[in-house]
């Protein structure tokens, strides 16, 4: 069997998976990742771990694509805590992507033999137009600006 970086056979329980978060967090900080991004990833991983535990998963080897699909389905049925509306496709995409990034990192760094989330397809995030579209007057004002390439 493949050995993890720790030198032991790669058998990880959920508790050990959480402990690997510290290594991942160190990796993110080395990449100069913003603190709010690190916190957001930690929160989303904790949500997934709670979900997996409720599913009866005690060992990371038990995780399959079906667990990640079920988690994605659960996310799509969640409601926003303030508005009460279902999460947007973008929110589901973001939450899933953060979990998948973590598992991809675990695999690339030999903490897992294979990525159990490797076959998961994320929902297609909608492309959004800018929130503010310039009016005709604003566009005219931009074109009326002096050309900086002209000499005085």
């Amino acid at each position: 069997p493949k050995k993890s970086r720790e030198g032991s056979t790669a058998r990880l329980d959920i508790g050990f998976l959480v402990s690997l978060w510290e290594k991942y967090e160190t990796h993110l900080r080395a990449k100069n990742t913003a603190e709010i991004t690190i916190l957001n990833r930690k929160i989303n991983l904790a949500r997934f771990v709670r979900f997996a535990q409720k599913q009866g998963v005690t060992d990371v080897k038990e995780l399959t694509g079906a667990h990640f699909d079920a988690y994605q389905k659960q996310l799509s049925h969640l409601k926003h805590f303030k508005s009460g509306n279902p999460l947007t496709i973008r929110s589901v995409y973001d939450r899933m992507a953060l979990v998948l990034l973590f598992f991809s990192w675990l695999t690339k760094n030999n903490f897992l033999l294979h990525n159990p989330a490797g076959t998961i397809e994320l929902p297609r995030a909608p492309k959004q137009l800018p929130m503010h579209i310039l009016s005709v007057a604003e566009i005219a004002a931009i074109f009326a600006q002096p050309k900086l390439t002209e000499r005085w």
Side-chain angles (χ1 to χ4, degrees):
K2 188 174 181 180
K3 298 214 174 192
S4 72
R5 283 198 169 178
E6 308 301 311
S8 62
T9 302
R11 179 171 169 79
L12 309 175
D13 62 24
I14 293 294
F16 188 57
L17 178 67
V18 173
S19 74
L20 286 174
W21 165 257
E22 292 174 0
K23 294 176 187 340
Y24 185 56
E25 188 174 1
T26 300
H27 161 74
L28 294 174
R29 284 204 166 83
K31 288 178 43 178
N32 203 25
T33 304
E35 287 300 315
I36 190 70
T37 302
I38 293 171
L39 178 61
N40 200 13
R41 289 184 184 194
K42 186 175 190 175
I43 289 168
N44 280 287
L45 178 63
R47 286 179 180 145
F48 177 75
V49 168
R50 280 193 305 273
F51 171 83
Q53 288 172 328
K54 286 179 184 176
Q55 299 293 311
V57 175
T58 58
D59 189 312
V60 175
K61 286 183 178 179
E62 297 171 8
L63 286 171
T64 65
H67 291 104
F68 292 92
D69 283 334
Y71 182 62
Q72 184 170 319
K73 187 177 283 188
Q74 177 185 312
L75 288 176
S76 68
H77 290 103
L78 285 180
K79 301 217 181 280
H80 190 274
F81 74 97
K82 286 184 181 176
S83 69
N85 295 328
L87 292 180
T88 63
I89 292 172
R90 182 73 205 188
S91 292
V92 172
Y93 175 92
D94 289 344
R95 290 181 183 195
M96 280 300 297
L98 296 177
V99 172
L100 299 184
L101 280 170
F102 177 68
F103 279 88
S104 175
W105 180 85
L106 287 177
T107 306
K108 286 179 189 173
N109 289 279
N110 299 319
F111 292 110
L112 291 179
L113 294 173
H114 75 283
N115 186 349
T119 60
I120 302 305
E121 291 186 30
L122 292 174
R124 187 172 182 139
K127 295 182 180 179
Q128 296 178 333
L129 293 174
M131 295 295 284
H132 178 72
I133 298 175
L134 298 177
S135 67
V136 172
E138 291 170 321
I139 293 170
I142 291 171
F143 283 120
Q145 296 293 315
K147 293 183 177 155
L148 298 178
T149 57
E150 294 179 1
R151 297 192 182 248
W152 296 70

